[in-house]
């Protein structure tokens, strides 16, 4: 079964450093997402991306965050200057169609990158 | 905007007990509803989903959920839990493009 692949699985970084979290969505999917889950809290939507631009972003996704699909296969989340409160599990997801009738049949999550900011 | 409320934050059961986890949502339009499970150290996995048709939805591993539109509820049930069901369970709703998750219910099954 096709998978969404995320690398690395765990990243430790110093406060103020830039990090790039990488995701390889399922190859025929067109819509891409980043979610995060702070330890002990719920999974929160960060951003959606379609046709090489951001479709929607949450209030969490401030100027420190950016997303990019640099080469048609990778989908990256960059945090420019990490803060302690950015420590979380970051999930990438992708899906093939916005067709409401299919719901989220094609909505597949990656295994996550655990980011620890020290 | 859509929102999801899960009433039980932590549930402890013995093996073979019956399970019901509550979930209520709010959204003005047509919704898609989901239950996801996250086993310790693993990623989110889809247990089951509802988007139309029969309001009683059967998922993997013996789980089922019932969509009750009048109550805005989508409770998860399993008649007899196993130790391997120990995990965190998230109810989620999709109204527009994104999925909104509940805060999760941590289920601990005693062997």
């Amino acid at each position: 079964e096709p998978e969404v692949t995320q690398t690395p699985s765990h990243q430790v970084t110093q406060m103020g450093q830039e990090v790039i979290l990488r995701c390889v969505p399922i190859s025929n999917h067109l819509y891409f997402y980043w979610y995060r889950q702070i330890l002990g809290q719920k999974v929160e939507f960060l951003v959606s991306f379609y046709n090489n631009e951001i479709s929607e972003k949450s209030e969490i996704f401030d100027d420190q965050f950016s997303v990019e699909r640099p080469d048609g296969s990778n989908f990256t989340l960059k945090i420019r200057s990490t803060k302690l409160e950015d420590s979380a599990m970051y999930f990438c997801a992708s899906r093939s169609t916005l067709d409401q009738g299919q719901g989220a049949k094609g909505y597949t999550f990656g295994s996550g990158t655990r980011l620890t900011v020290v | 905007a859509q929102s999801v409320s899960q009433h039980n934050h932590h549930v402890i059961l013995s093996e073979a007990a019956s399970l019901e986890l509550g979930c209520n949502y709010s959204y003005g339009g047509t919704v898609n509803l989901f239950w996801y499970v996250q086993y310790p150290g693993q990623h989110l996995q889809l247990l089951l989903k509802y988007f139309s048709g029969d309001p009683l939805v059967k998922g993997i591993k013996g789980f089922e959920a019932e969509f009750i539109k009048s109550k805005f509820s989508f409770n998860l049930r399993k008649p007899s839990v196993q130790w391997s069901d120990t995990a965190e369970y998230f109810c989620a709703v999709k109204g527009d493009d994104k999925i909104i998750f509940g805060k999760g219910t941590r289920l601990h099954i005693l062997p």
Side-chain angles (χ1 to χ4, degrees):
Chain A
E1 187 166 333
E3 288 186 346
V4 173
T5 305
Q6 288 187 244
T7 55
S9 57
H10 191 186
Q11 180 153 358
V12 182
T13 188
Q14 287 198 322
M15 193 168 54
Q17 295 296 305
E18 174 185 285
V19 294
I20 297 176
L21 309 182
R22 302 183 192 279
C23 169
V24 179
I26 293 173
S27 62
N28 63 350
H29 282 188
L30 302 176
Y31 299 85
F32 313 108
Y33 308 84
W34 282 101
Y35 289 77
R36 80 171 185 190
Q37 184 184 25
I38 294 172
L39 187 65
Q41 300 186 26
K42 65 179 178 180
V43 179
E44 302 171 291
F45 168 77
L46 290 179
V47 65
S48 59
F49 190 86
Y50 169 70
N51 200 25
N52 283 320
E53 60 183 26
I54 291 173
S55 315
E56 186 176 356
K57 59 184 181 179
S58 70
E59 58 273 13
I60 302 167
F61 194 89
D62 61 21
D63 292 344
Q64 295 297 316
F65 291 87
S66 63
V67 289
E68 197 176 37
R69 190 160 158 77
D71 56 12
S73 63
N74 291 286
F75 178 52
T76 61
L77 174 69
K78 182 192 292 186
I79 308 175
R80 193 166 59 202
S81 176
T82 51
K83 304 186 285 285
L84 294 176
E85 53 265 37
D86 293 327
S87 295
M89 180 75 91
Y90 288 81
F91 292 102
C92 174
S94 70
R95 69 183 175 136
S96 58
T97 176
L98 198 58
D99 182 356
Q100 289 291 326
Q102 288 192 345
K105 268 187 183 177
Y107 219 119
T108 303
F109 284 86
S111 55
T113 293
R114 183 173 297 284
L115 176 66
T116 302
V117 182
V118 297
Chain B
Q2 63 261 40
S3 67
V4 180
S5 174
Q6 290 181 245
H7 314 299
N8 316 102
H9 299 298
H10 195 183
V11 173
I12 301 173
L13 293 173
S14 298
E15 274 195 307
S18 65
L19 169 73
E20 181 161 2
L21 301 182
C23 173
N24 287 93
Y25 70 93
S26 67
Y27 184 69
T30 302
V31 291
N32 300 149
L33 295 159
F34 312 88
W35 277 96
Y36 284 87
V37 61
Q38 188 176 26
Y39 297 103
Q42 296 188 29
H43 61 94
L44 291 168
Q45 297 176 41
L46 183 65
L47 265 183
L48 48 79
K49 61 184 183 293
Y50 170 83
F51 47 90
S52 66
D54 189 345
L56 184 61
V57 180
K58 294 197 182 299
I60 60 172
K61 305 186 181 187
F63 286 91
E64 64 178 33
E66 185 175 11
F67 170 53
I68 303 179
K69 190 174 180 180
S70 60
K71 295 184 178 180
F72 297 91
S73 70
F74 191 57
N75 292 354
L76 181 71
R77 300 194 292 249
K78 185 170 183 178
S80 177
V81 294
Q82 301 170 301
W83 178 79
S84 57
D85 293 324
T86 294
E88 190 151 16
Y89 293 80
F90 294 92
C91 183
V93 61
K94 176 183 164 293
D96 49 24
D97 185 31
K98 62 183 180 290
I99 288 182
I100 300 297
F101 289 85
K103 290 187 176 180
T105 297
R106 193 174 297 277
L107 176 65
H108 188 81
I109 306 299
L110 301 173

